[in-house]
């Protein structure tokens, strides 16, 4: 499947792996952006990279001197994947902005662009309310396009202030490469999402391999029966393939596969991580695992009340360890912990309840602080009395005095 890669010298093969990892993290790579200094190397190795992504994952790779675009599969129905800065309304404004930009040209005033976006919303029968929340959502969409390099603030800047003016320059080449789904083939938004997340030509192996590359935890019970059977049969070969081409290390267990990046470059969410929410989520895992026995798939059922109680106990046991701002609203804290565990693939919604992944057993943390006084554990029993360093020994009589 990767004949060209097999023929490369070791140093060139290592460079291809490095470029492949960068493209997995930054599917739209541009000159002047993060990791943009690798574009010349990607351009030189474009034929090999295109073969690697096409044969292994069914991904299309477009490489020009100014940019490289890896067309990855969409997230499908997974609502935990996406830009944290974009709300659902922000994503709607992102799509409307792309529609408005296609007919504007290379430069436009911010006020004109905002007017065109709202006109596109009206045409799509999307209600627009000119309030602070709505302006923040639109601003977040525009800031995302600035971060991608699709638009540039030539004069002024994009802000949520309705009176602010700016001159926007559009990179039409990048604009044309942004949408991954086949717009001409889709007859509805739902079909566009389905087509964007569809597997490649080798449907079965591409679908499973994409899950392994994109998700940190892949459980056999979460895959369709055909995919689960294929992965069980080929798990050893797939582990070697992921390490060879993408530098990823797999841990194979009875319940599924955990894929790790030793360099943490491809890890979009660090865990364990800093901050009150991450530390409470980490310390909550052992207690949540003990609350209910695992089902046949190795998952532990937990309820919202379990999550609330465990978080409350941790906050009360170590009051000085947490940020006051993060813990003053307890329900908001629980929501944040749940959101983090879901993004990590450790917590799944099971129709009104939750299932904790068997991968949670990887973490068995021990608090490094003393509990609050009212929860202080019993002191250990005193040790038997022994000799002191200041005791003297009578060498002749062998007695202590």
């Amino acid at each position: 499947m990767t004949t060209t890669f097999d023929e490369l010298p070791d140093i060139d093969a290592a460079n291809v792996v490095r470029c492949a990892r960068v493209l997995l993290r930054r599917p739209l790579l541009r000159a002047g952006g993060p990791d943009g200094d690798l574009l010349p190397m990607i351009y030189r190795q474009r034929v090999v990279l295109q073969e690697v992504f096409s044969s292994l994952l069914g991904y299309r790779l477009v490489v020009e001197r100014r940019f490289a675009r890896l067309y990855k599969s969409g997230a499908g129905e997974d609502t935990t994947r996406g830009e944290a800065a974009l709300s659902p309304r922000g994503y709607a404004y992102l799509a409307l902005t792309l529609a408005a930009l296609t007919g504007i040209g290379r430069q436009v005033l911010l006020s004109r662009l905002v007017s065109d976006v709202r006109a596109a919303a009206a045409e799509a029968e999307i209600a627009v309310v000119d309030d602070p929340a709505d302006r923040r959502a639109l601003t977040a969409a525009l800031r995302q396009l600035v971060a991608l390099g699709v638009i540039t603030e030539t004069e002024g800047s994009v802000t949520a202030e309705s009176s602010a003016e700016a001159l926007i320059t559009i990179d039409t080449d990048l604009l044309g490469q942004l949408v991954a789904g086949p717009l001409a083939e889709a007859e509805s938004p739902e079909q566009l999402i389905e087509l964007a997340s569809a597997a490649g030509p080798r449907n079965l192996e591409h679908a499973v391999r994409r899950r392994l590359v994109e998700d940190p935890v892949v459980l056999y019970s979460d895959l369709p029966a055909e995919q689960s059977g294929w992965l069980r049969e080929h798990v050893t070969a797939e582990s070697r393939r992921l390490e060879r081409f993408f530098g990823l290390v797999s841990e194979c267990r009875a319940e599924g596969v955990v894929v790790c990046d030793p360099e943490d470059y491809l890890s979009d969410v660090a865990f364990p991580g800093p901050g009150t929410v991450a530390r409470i989520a980490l310390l909550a895992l052992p207690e949540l695992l003990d609350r209910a026995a695992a089902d046949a798939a190795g998952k532990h059922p937990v309820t919202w009340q379990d999550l609330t109680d465990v978080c409350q106990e941790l906050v009360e046991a170590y009051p000085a360890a947490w940020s006051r701002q993060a813990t003053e609203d307890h329900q908001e804290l629980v929501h944040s912990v749940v959101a983090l565990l879901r993004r990590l693939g450790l917590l799944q919604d099971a129709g009104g309840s939750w299932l904790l992944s068997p991968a949670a057993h990887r973490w068995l943390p021990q608090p490094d602080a003393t509990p609050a006084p009212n929860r202080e554990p019993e002191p250990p029993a005193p040790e038997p009395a022994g000799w002191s360093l200041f005791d003297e020994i009578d060498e002749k009589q062998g007695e202590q005095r």
Side-chain angles (χ1 to χ4, degrees):
M1 292 188 297
T2 52
T3 307
T4 309
F5 182 89
D6 296 335
E7 297 172 351
L8 291 175
D10 290 345
I11 189 169
D12 288 339
N15 285 333
V16 168
V17 172
R18 181 186 178 193
C19 294
R21 286 166 55 81
V22 169
L23 288 167
L24 283 175
R25 177 169 179 174
R26 307 192 189 283
L28 182 58
L29 189 68
R30 60 185 177 87
D35 292 320
D37 56 320
L38 280 184
L39 269 175
M41 185 186 296
I42 291 174
Y43 187 80
R44 287 195 302 271
Q45 303 290 355
R46 63 189 182 279
V47 174
V48 185
L49 286 164
Q50 287 168 341
E51 182 185 76
V52 166
F53 280 115
S54 175
S55 61
L56 295 180
L57 299 171
Y59 288 167
R60 181 167 66 96
L61 174 63
V62 175
V63 181
E64 302 290 347
R65 292 191 180 275
R66 291 180 51 248
F67 66 87
R69 175 67 164 112
L70 179 65
Y71 287 89
K72 300 166 68 174
S73 60
E77 297 179 358
D78 187 353
T79 59
T80 66
R81 308 297 288 271
E83 290 294 332
L86 292 178
S87 63
R89 192 159 190 83
Y91 269 107
Y93 270 129
L94 182 63
L96 291 168
T97 303
L98 294 180
L101 288 173
T102 56
I104 283 180
R106 290 192 173 271
Q107 284 193 326
V108 65
L109 290 173
L110 177 60
S111 57
R112 163 74 188 280
L113 176 58
V114 171
S115 177
D116 287 356
V117 168
R118 288 176 173 163
E123 184 178 348
E125 299 181 352
I126 298 175
V128 174
V129 180
D130 188 13
D131 59 10
D134 192 79
R135 288 195 293 272
R136 284 194 297 268
L138 176 55
T139 301
L142 295 174
R143 297 305 313 173
Q144 182 64 26
L145 292 176
V146 171
L148 292 172
V150 175
I151 63 176
T152 304
E153 299 159 305
T154 304
E155 294 182 13
S157 60
V158 175
T159 67
E161 298 297 328
S162 58
S163 59
E165 188 59 279
L167 179 63
I168 304 298
T169 300
I170 301 106
D171 189 324
T172 54
D173 293 332
L174 287 183
L175 176 63
Q177 299 289 339
L178 197 58
V179 179
L183 291 172
E185 301 176 21
E187 297 181 357
S188 67
E190 294 76 17
Q191 187 180 14
L192 178 62
I193 294 173
E194 181 180 350
L195 292 173
S197 58
R202 288 188 286 274
N203 182 63
L204 180 60
E205 63 183 84
H206 281 169
V208 176
R209 205 172 286 138
R210 288 177 179 182
R211 286 288 299 270
L212 293 172
V213 170
E214 303 292 350
D215 294 341
V217 179
V218 178
L219 302 178
Y220 294 125
S221 60
D222 291 340
L223 297 173
E226 187 180 16
Q227 294 182 14
S228 176
W230 186 89
L231 180 56
R232 290 178 185 273
E233 182 180 352
H234 297 87
V235 66
T236 302
E238 289 304 306
S239 297
R240 293 171 180 166
R241 190 170 282 120
L242 292 182
E243 185 170 8
R244 183 186 182 199
F245 291 99
F246 305 113
L248 299 173
V249 177
S250 304
E251 297 180 14
C252 306
R253 297 290 185 265
E255 300 87 357
V257 182
V258 174
V259 180
C260 307
D261 178 14
E263 299 178 7
D264 286 337
Y265 177 77
L266 294 177
S267 302
D268 54 347
V269 182
F271 190 77
T276 292
V277 172
R279 287 184 291 146
I280 287 181
L282 176 66
L283 294 174
L285 290 178
E287 177 64 26
L288 291 172
L289 289 170
D290 290 340
R291 294 231 163 183
D295 60 16
K299 300 178 181 180
H300 294 256
V302 295
T303 64
W304 182 264
Q305 190 61 48
D306 291 332
L307 291 158
T308 301
D309 292 344
V310 170
C311 290
Q312 185 68 41
E313 290 171 4
L314 288 169
V315 170
E316 292 177 353
Y318 307 96
W322 319 119
S323 160
R324 182 177 299 178
Q325 181 179 359
T327 57
E328 61 183 359
D329 186 336
H330 186 66
Q331 287 302 309
E332 183 61 30
L333 172 65
V334 178
H335 278 288
S336 299
V337 169
V338 168
L340 176 59
L341 293 177
R342 291 190 66 198
R343 288 193 67 194
L344 293 165
L346 296 177
L347 197 65
Q348 297 177 335
D349 189 355
S353 62
W354 303 95
L355 292 175
L356 196 60
S357 170
H361 286 281
R362 291 170 58 85
W363 295 279
L364 295 175
Q366 293 294 328
D368 59 1
T370 303
N374 60 336
R375 302 174 65 92
E376 198 164 337
E378 293 293 328
E383 296 183 0
W387 287 358
S388 167
L389 292 175
F390 301 100
D391 289 338
E392 297 180 6
I393 304 295
D394 189 318
E395 295 182 357
K396 292 182 179 181
Q397 298 181 2
E399 295 179 354
Q400 181 181 359
R401 61 179 183 173

